[in-house]
Amino acid sequence: MERTISFMNGEGSLGHNTRAFIAANVDADRTKDNITLVHEDLKKVYHKLFDDSLKKYNAKQKRKDRQIKNYYDKISRSKQEKLFYEVIVQIGNRDDTGVGSAAADTAVKALQDYVELFIRRNPQLYVFGAYIHMDEETPHVHIDFVPYTTGSRRGIDTRVSLKQALSALGFKGGTRRETELNQWVAYE
């Protein structure tokens, strides 16, 4: 039987993904069945990705007020970038791939493979969280990532940038509908 595949941009709720809180559509008795594929602390990821570049940038600054004390805090206040992005991938729906069915077991294996390939295919999107939810009606995976670019000539040389990360992956913007993000989503 054929299945649909949905790929959508999520809101990016780490509390929902890790089940720090239980939403109304979640069966709390099945939360133990969820599968964590990748789980890293976001602040530690920022230190890993950006601390070396931040030190170099700050060392070049002649004025103390131009130094960046904490890159995580800077991005958290940014109007241009987000701390992280999220995509949600689901195979099938509750009618043909509901949790507990044989089709759902197959979908879970496919989602696990997908996450592994996603990480390999998208090296500029640092995946720090990947969670398969089995406590809702249909298995699906939340993939949380930090998009970054290296070699920037202005400012910090390794920095958060979804547009530049996707450009480095080969997606070049065009029209309003053919943005780097839209091209990447269609490719995925």
Side-chain angles (χ1 to χ4, degrees):
M1 182 185 287
E2 290 185 13
R3 300 284 186 274
T4 58
I5 298 175
S6 62
F7 182 98
M8 59 187 265
N9 295 318
E11 290 295 317
S13 172
L14 295 178
H16 170 77
N17 297 351
T18 61
R19 293 304 192 241
F21 68 85
I22 305 293
N25 65 327
V26 171
D27 181 348
D29 292 336
R30 294 197 326 245
T31 298
K32 66 185 177 345
D33 300 328
N34 290 346
I35 302 166
T36 299
L37 301 171
V38 179
H39 179 76
E40 291 183 60
D41 180 80
L42 182 56
K43 286 185 178 181
K44 288 180 182 175
V45 167
Y46 265 72
H47 287 298
K48 182 190 307 186
L49 291 175
F50 306 113
D51 274 3
D52 288 343
S53 292
L54 187 60
K55 284 177 190 170
K56 283 189 257 177
Y57 172 81
N58 284 338
K60 291 180 187 176
Q61 299 307 310
K62 293 181 176 149
R63 291 177 37 191
K64 290 270 189 207
D65 64 326
R66 291 206 173 142
Q67 291 184 348
I68 300 169
K69 301 290 182 224
N70 185 316
Y71 192 63
Y72 178 92
D73 289 343
K74 177 180 172 48
I75 297 300
S76 72
R77 292 186 306 270
S78 174
K79 290 185 169 117
Q80 292 181 320
E81 292 293 344
K82 293 171 48 175
L83 282 171
F84 71 97
Y85 293 80
E86 174 184 63
V87 294
I88 305 166
V89 181
Q90 177 176 307
I91 299 171
N93 59 48
R94 68 179 178 197
D95 298 326
D96 60 23
T97 316
V99 169
S101 68
D105 294 340
T106 303
V108 167
K109 289 179 181 126
L111 291 171
Q112 289 171 321
D113 289 345
Y114 178 77
V115 169
E116 185 179 314
L117 293 170
F118 181 96
I119 292 168
R120 274 195 254 151
R121 198 172 43 250
N122 296 295
Q124 297 302 121
L125 309 178
Y126 186 93
V127 174
F128 69 92
Y131 312 92
I132 297 178
H133 287 167
M134 302 295 291
D135 55 3
E136 296 178 45
E137 291 185 343
T138 308
H140 58 278
V141 64
H142 293 258
I143 303 172
D144 300 322
F145 60 89
V146 176
Y148 69 97
T149 186
T150 58
S152 294
R153 293 188 181 159
R154 291 180 51 206
I156 184 171
D157 68 351
T158 299
R159 60 185 171 89
V160 172
S161 174
L162 180 62
K163 181 180 172 90
Q164 293 302 316
L166 295 177
S167 182
L169 294 173
F171 300 98
K172 305 294 182 204
T175 65
R176 279 187 172 182
R177 292 185 185 187
E178 289 296 316
T179 64
E180 292 87 351
L181 180 61
N182 289 344
Q183 291 172 25
W184 176 72
V185 167
Y187 178 79
E188 284 295 317

